[in-house]
Amino acid sequence: LMYALLEEGFHVLASDADAVWRKDPTDILRETADADIVASRGSFPKQVGQEWGATLCMGWVLLRSTWQTRRFVRDEMWISMSIEKVWDDQVGM
């Protein structure tokens, strides 16, 4: 669904159903207007987190519908599906 929305030109803001928003994200969205992907910081997978200093946590993520984002999401989905046979955002992204 995420990829289909991006392909249609929609930006996607996704949040875990059990997440608690402590404040309005409008300021963050304005401050990062030039970023294609904005996400909370994660540490999984551990090896990537150690190598890069952080990972994307898909518990809160904004994906702007740019060609770079669409290509990234498409490629990560196919990689994850070829390995796991199902798209898992925690593994794929």
Side-chain angles (χ1 to χ4, degrees):
L1 181 61
M2 207 181 274
Y3 182 68
L5 290 169
L6 291 169
E7 278 292 302
E8 289 296 318
F10 292 100
H11 303 318
V12 176
L13 176 60
S15 174
D16 282 352
D18 62 349
V20 176
W21 291 33
R22 297 184 61 191
K23 65 181 186 176
D24 183 341
T26 305
D27 290 339
I28 294 169
L29 299 177
R30 265 193 233 111
E31 292 167 7
T32 60
D34 60 340
D36 294 336
I37 299 174
V38 180
S40 52
R41 288 179 66 123
S43 59
F44 177 82
K46 189 174 183 175
Q47 179 183 351
V48 174
Q50 289 173 336
E51 186 175 328
W52 288 57
T55 63
L56 297 180
C57 175
M58 297 300 288
W60 191 99
V61 63
L62 170 67
L63 303 169
R64 291 199 170 91
S65 183
T66 63
W67 70 267
Q68 296 94 331
T69 301
R70 290 189 302 271
R71 185 177 68 189
F72 174 77
V73 171
R74 181 200 65 211
D75 292 352
E76 291 304 314
M77 278 181 13
W78 287 116
I79 291 168
S80 177
M81 289 176 72
S82 68
I83 296 168
E84 303 290 326
K85 305 300 180 217
V86 64
W87 187 61
D88 180 346
D89 66 333
Q90 299 300 319
V91 175
M93 300 294 246

